Amino acid sequence: MRILVTGGAGFLGSHLCDRLMDQGHDVLCLDNLFTGRKSNIEHLLGHPRFELIRHDVIDPFKFEVDRIYNLACPASPPHYQYNPIKTTKTSVMGAINCLGLAKRVHARVFQASTSEVYGDPAVHPQPESYWGNVNPIGRRSCYDEGKRCAETLFFDYHRENGVDIRVVRIFNTYGPRMNPDDGRVVSNFIVQALRGEDITVYGDGSQTRSFCYVDDLVEGFLRLMEQTATVGPVNIGNPGEFTMLELAELVLGKVGGRSKIVHRELPADDPRQRQPDITLARKYLDWEPTVPLDEGIGKTIEYFRGQI
Ligand code: NAD
Ligand code: UDP
């Protein structure tokens, strides 16, 4: 197939491009390189089945394709808050442009949504049926509400125009090719530990997240895209739930060195807890994560050791 991956030079997108190339597809990687890096896809550049298109999803695009994976959007809080209006535009206009293209060329289109649609969840763990608890006017809203609106557009194009959609809600994912400067907790802690700097735990560190290794996540993407039992939304994430203090201690234990844990102010609207209910992923995709946090963190540390 010919497959378009928006955001394909980013952390998740580059791993998805790798898997699609391994499967023998033609891959068009569309990216404006805001948070993505050419180095993530360097090994694919020049391959006859791979093309990098430097373009912004806000502006319309046309390609004859069979599948569209829409991943273009900065994902780390410092990056999506850097230009919040642009972040909302990227989610909303990017969704409209992908859906318009899918409608025109009869492609199946996949939206990378997020556990952020659940906001600071009052239901725990979070099933897809939970409508969420999102502040519409806070610092995180440009991302959360942009992604919620994108889901709305996907379902309206599906109901109104019969567009063949798939929607995944991704929970925190980590692994090689995370940007060392992007401010997310796993990359921050590992880079700080490797440099012998203090480990910055925001707040008292009792807030929780559930961390999925990138290879598991991409397997879930492919299974969701190529099955026909559900259009989603389907949660993909690892149900193992850890406090940020536990994560800091795990990283410190593995890297060794002289870093100390220090506490910094908790950002506004930081969700208290997050854990995916993956009943639907198990049922429809026969999917569940296979890489435990301890093992995945080890692989990620090795990657960053080679980077810095
Ligand atoms: P990332 O920042 O590494 O990748 C995003 C990619 O999109 C980058 O290559 C960036 O340059 C590109 N991009 C951003 N704005 C663009 C625009 N306007 N036009 C074209 N390209 C643009 O982040 P990631 O972790 O790989 O996330 C990929 C997708 O998955 C995002 O949509 C994100 O919201 C979603 N997601 C990720 C996680 C996670 O834990 N990694 C969790 C939930 C959702
Ligand atoms: N966090 C932290 N130290 C850091 C970066 C993040 O304690 O250096 C915390 C952050 O406050 C949040 C959790 O780690 O509670 C996950 O943050 P991240 O930005 O990775 O993802 P998100 O909040 O979007 O889930």
Side-chain angles (χ1 to χ4, degrees):
M1 288 188 283
R2 276 171 69 78
I3 302 186
L4 173 65
V5 180
T6 78
F11 160 49
L12 299 181
S14 62
H15 286 277
L16 175 62
C17 288
D18 281 347
R19 282 294 302 275
L20 295 171
M21 289 293 290
D22 287 347
Q23 293 182 342
H25 301 294
D26 280 353
V27 175
L28 306 183
C29 165
L30 182 151
D31 203 297
N32 70 352
L33 301 180
F34 172 44
T35 52
R37 293 172 294 171
K38 258 194 190 167
S39 58
N40 287 341
I41 47 160
E42 207 165 32
H43 53 291
L44 301 176
L45 294 172
H47 191 291
R49 286 189 284 104
F50 184 82
E51 212 174 317
L52 171 64
I53 301 144
R54 195 166 182 159
H55 186 83
D56 199 302
V57 281
I58 286 176
D59 301 319
F61 41 87
K62 272 190 235 164
F63 306 103
E64 285 296 329
V65 288
D66 308 289
R67 298 280 187 268
I68 304 166
Y69 286 89
N70 184 33
L71 274 65
C73 186
S76 92
H79 281 150
Y80 70 65
Q81 290 168 22
Y82 171 74
N83 187 345
I85 297 168
K86 170 83 190 212
T87 299
T88 303
K89 277 175 145 176
T90 295
S91 276
V92 175
M93 298 303 300
I96 290 173
N97 287 330
C98 287
L99 287 158
L101 177 63
K103 182 181 164 193
R104 174 193 282 241
V105 302
H106 303 290
R108 184 175 292 171
V109 58
F110 175 107
Q111 170 64 4
S113 190
T114 168
S115 55
E116 292 284 327
V117 300
Y118 303 123
D120 191 6
V123 170
H124 194 73
Q126 294 80 53
E128 292 82 349
S129 54
Y130 176 50
W131 290 356
N133 176 32
V134 174
N135 175 0
I137 57 168
R139 291 274 175 211
R140 297 175 82 96
S141 313
C142 58
Y143 183 75
D144 300 9
E145 297 290 14
K147 289 284 187 180
R148 286 171 67 95
C149 184
E151 285 201 15
T152 306
L153 285 160
F154 266 70
F155 278 83
D156 282 332
Y157 268 78
H158 178 59
R159 283 185 290 255
E160 298 294 309
N161 300 114
V163 173
D164 192 12
I165 62 162
R166 300 289 183 274
V167 176
V168 65
R169 291 185 180 151
I170 306 165
F171 283 66
N172 297 62
T173 301
Y174 69 97
R177 300 192 196 144
M178 290 184 93
N179 189 331
D181 308 313
D182 94 358
R184 281 184 273 191
V185 68
V186 172
S187 42
N188 267 12
F189 285 1
I190 292 178
V191 169
Q192 289 163 344
L194 288 172
R195 289 183 177 146
E197 297 167 356
D198 291 342
I199 308 278
T200 54
V201 170
Y202 299 161
D204 64 6
S206 63
Q207 71 273 33
T208 67
R209 293 293 185 274
S210 302
F211 296 102
C212 185
Y213 189 66
V214 60
D215 292 354
D216 280 334
L217 182 88
V218 172
E219 179 62 31
F221 280 13
L222 298 171
R223 290 190 191 196
L224 176 60
M225 184 62 128
E226 296 309 330
Q227 57 74 51
T228 52
T230 184
V231 296
V234 176
N235 290 337
I236 299 282
N238 190 324
E241 185 181 359
F242 298 86
T243 67
M244 294 311 100
L245 265 183
E246 285 170 334
L247 179 70
E249 276 154 13
L250 174 68
V251 170
L252 268 179
K254 283 192 159 304
V255 174
R258 54 195 159 79
S259 299
K260 291 189 306 294
I261 292 178
V262 296
H263 291 269
R264 298 275 178 267
E265 197 182 338
L266 188 69
D269 296 337
D270 200 273
R272 283 290 316 151
Q273 54 182 4
R274 223 184 260 145
Q275 187 194 32
D277 177 331
I278 60 166
T279 308
L280 291 186
R282 284 199 175 101
K283 175 177 164 189
Y284 289 118
L285 317 181
D286 191 23
W287 179 90
E288 57 181 20
T290 61
V291 182
L293 186 66
D294 188 76
E295 182 187 332
I297 289 290
K299 293 183 185 189
T300 311
I301 290 170
E302 283 325 301
Y303 167 77
F304 279 115
R305 227 188 264 285
Q307 292 286 303
I308 61 178

